[in-house]
Amino acid sequence: MVNVGILGATGMVGQRFIELLGDHPDFEITALTASMRSAGKKYEDAVTWYLDSKIPEVARDITVVDTDPGEVKDVDIVFSALPANIAAVVEPQFAEAGMIVASNASAMRMEPDVPLVIPEVNPEHLELVEMQQKNRGWDGFIVTNPNCSTIALTMTLKPLYDNYDLQRVYVSTMQAVSGAGYDGVPSMAIVDNLVPFIGEEEEKMETETLQLLGDLEEGNLNPASFGVSASCHRVAVLDGHTEAVFIQMEEDFQVEDVEETFREFKGLPQKLDLFSAPAAPIIVREEDNRPQPRMDRNAERGMAVSVGRVRKDEVFAKCLKYVLVGHNTIRGAAGASILNAELITEIM
Ligand code: NAP
């Protein structure tokens, strides 16, 4: 077994890590960290547990410690669910102390020597780890996963990018409240309402997507060169981000071929049969009224992206439209980091 720790274990994403790792066959939770507010308490006393499941036995009695590498003993991998400003300071400290950091936070995502990885999309970007360790003199290293809306979008763009010429991608999101963290969106702001702004989300979707689909040449990443424009909105849904995607293609296409491209898509996690890998990363729904967050967010234990309403635009020529749903705290956060760690332990 590999000993793992969770940084920011009491938060929304931290709880998903604990839920998903509670019965993991290869990873054993041995350390949990949070802020000074929680440090020193047993996990079950420190956390306001919000998930439907029970707190896994393995985590209940662990004493939460301060988020400091000196407090985390005999751990090989730490999963980071920290706010970005805290992650920017402490994640490098954990890597310097020799641990592998699989991070959800945005702090290190755009560093040129830190891989930003979706295992089905760009596992080859893990090559950057060697450069990172050399540049920084660390025994450990940091690997990041993208932001929650970007993961779902890019998983669907990858097979299209490999098979078609994409000119421009427009995406409009309807994002769940859990994406903002436990104390993120006040109920008075969101019930009977939506909020048409999520700070820095559009910029993340527009840059991370192109980085993920970019080519690595001799340690330099050349981002993909089509345009991405995003408009991001918070809606009164608990879990599961929905996105309406519009793609201007270079050439005409058949809807049936696009659907087949989605269905056939498989990546390295499927080939390696990694524990958290969905058998089908993209599920195509035929019904006019799917995908929906309540019905589709848990597809393949929350690790698949569901796509529906695949169609040609009736107004603009060579324009493809579809709707997708992905689970933001599973595929979009904790599950994504765990799959990164499974890939790392399998191939590195
Ligand atoms: P959250 O619910 O606010 O949880 C934050 C966690 O960080 C808590 O465990 C908190 O501990 C801890 N923390 C806060 N201040 C700290 C400090 N000064 N030192 C050490 N620990 C501290 O946030 P979240 O939604 O889980 O998000 C966590 C990270 O994942 C963020 O970077 C976020 O952008 C990213 N992310 C979130 C999602 C999503 O869908 N929610 C998706 C992708 C990525 P206490 O309980 O002790 O305060």
Side-chain angles (χ1 to χ4, degrees):
M1 289 293 261
V2 177
N3 288 348
V4 303
I6 297 154
L7 314 181
T10 49
M12 194 69 74
V13 175
Q15 293 180 31
R16 280 290 181 204
F17 273 121
I18 289 173
E19 181 187 57
L20 296 174
L21 291 166
D23 62 351
H24 198 282
D26 304 315
F27 298 154
E28 177 155 13
I29 303 171
T30 57
L32 301 173
T33 87
S35 75
M36 291 297 275
R37 292 179 290 276
S38 309
K41 296 180 188 163
K42 272 189 185 179
Y43 184 71
E44 65 180 347
D45 299 329
V47 71
T48 305
W49 188 256
Y50 114 100
L51 303 177
D52 297 339
S53 55
K54 289 191 173 152
I55 304 175
E57 277 304 320
V58 64
R60 282 179 180 279
D61 289 337
I62 294 180
T63 301
V64 177
V65 294
D66 189 17
T67 305
D68 173 339
E71 300 283 333
V72 176
K73 311 280 184 219
D74 300 325
V75 161
D76 307 294
I77 300 175
V78 288
F79 294 102
S80 170
L82 292 167
N85 59 329
I86 311 295
V89 177
V90 303
E91 288 180 0
Q93 295 170 353
F94 278 84
E96 190 170 12
M99 287 172 248
I100 297 171
V101 182
S103 176
N104 264 288
S106 58
M108 303 295 288
R109 280 182 201 148
M110 292 321 230
E111 294 287 311
D113 58 356
V114 174
L116 174 69
V117 173
I118 302 173
E120 285 92 342
V121 172
N122 61 332
E124 68 281 4
H125 288 195
L126 286 173
E127 277 174 35
L128 286 171
V129 163
E130 203 180 320
M131 190 165 105
Q132 183 191 131
Q133 289 182 311
K134 205 166 144 206
N135 287 350
R136 300 179 189 241
W138 293 343
D139 290 331
F141 58 86
I142 302 174
V143 171
T144 58
N145 53 260
N147 123 306
C148 39
S149 333
T150 306
I151 293 186
L153 174 67
T154 310
M155 280 177 60
T156 65
L157 291 183
K158 170 67 177 167
L160 298 178
Y161 185 63
D162 287 347
N163 288 283
Y164 298 90
D165 285 333
L166 314 184
Q167 232 176 44
R168 282 186 290 273
V169 174
Y170 301 94
V171 56
S172 177
T173 70
M174 290 145 271
Q175 299 184 215
V177 286
S178 61
Y182 192 78
D183 296 323
V185 187
S187 53
M188 282 300 285
I190 198 71
V191 174
D192 187 30
N193 205 11
L194 68 78
V195 181
F197 174 71
I198 304 176
E200 296 175 29
E201 192 83 355
E202 293 169 2
E203 295 81 352
K204 286 177 190 164
M205 290 193 81
E206 290 165 1
T207 52
E208 290 176 13
T209 304
L210 299 176
Q211 180 159 336
L212 287 155
L213 293 171
D215 291 328
L216 199 58
E217 273 176 42
E218 293 173 10
N220 289 316
L221 191 79
N222 304 315
S225 58
F226 59 88
V228 179
S229 176
S231 185
C232 296
H233 319 102
R234 188 75 68 195
V235 296
V237 166
L238 216 51
D239 288 314
H241 289 353
T242 304
E243 303 179 23
V245 186
F246 305 75
I247 305 178
Q248 185 64 58
M249 307 280 228
E250 288 281 348
E251 308 288 341
D252 199 12
F253 60 89
Q254 296 302 318
V255 168
E256 300 71 32
D257 295 343
V258 169
E259 288 180 331
E260 203 48 30
T261 304
F262 283 143
R263 280 196 196 94
E264 284 177 357
F265 175 57
K266 286 199 179 1
L268 192 54
Q270 287 69 38
K271 288 194 189 106
L272 296 174
D273 199 20
L274 299 178
F275 177 71
S276 303
I282 302 174
I283 293 171
V284 180
R285 305 295 320 195
E286 303 287 349
E287 309 89 321
D288 284 343
N289 64 353
R290 300 284 283 273
Q292 297 182 16
R294 222 171 51 204
M295 299 167 97
D296 295 300
R297 61 193 169 203
N298 290 321
E300 297 252 15
R301 296 165 290 115
M303 289 299 283
V305 175
S306 296
V307 164
R309 306 209 58 218
V310 182
R311 61 210 192 277
K312 277 190 185 194
D313 194 289
E314 298 292 331
V315 178
F316 298 113
K318 301 181 230 167
C319 181
L320 168 70
K321 301 200 278 193
Y322 59 91
V323 177
L324 68 82
V325 165
H327 199 302
N328 54 299
T329 60
I330 302 180
R331 185 71 227 210
S337 288
I338 294 170
L339 195 57
N340 274 350
E342 289 171 6
L343 180 63
I344 288 165
T345 50
E346 183 75 22
I347 67 171
M348 291 178 74

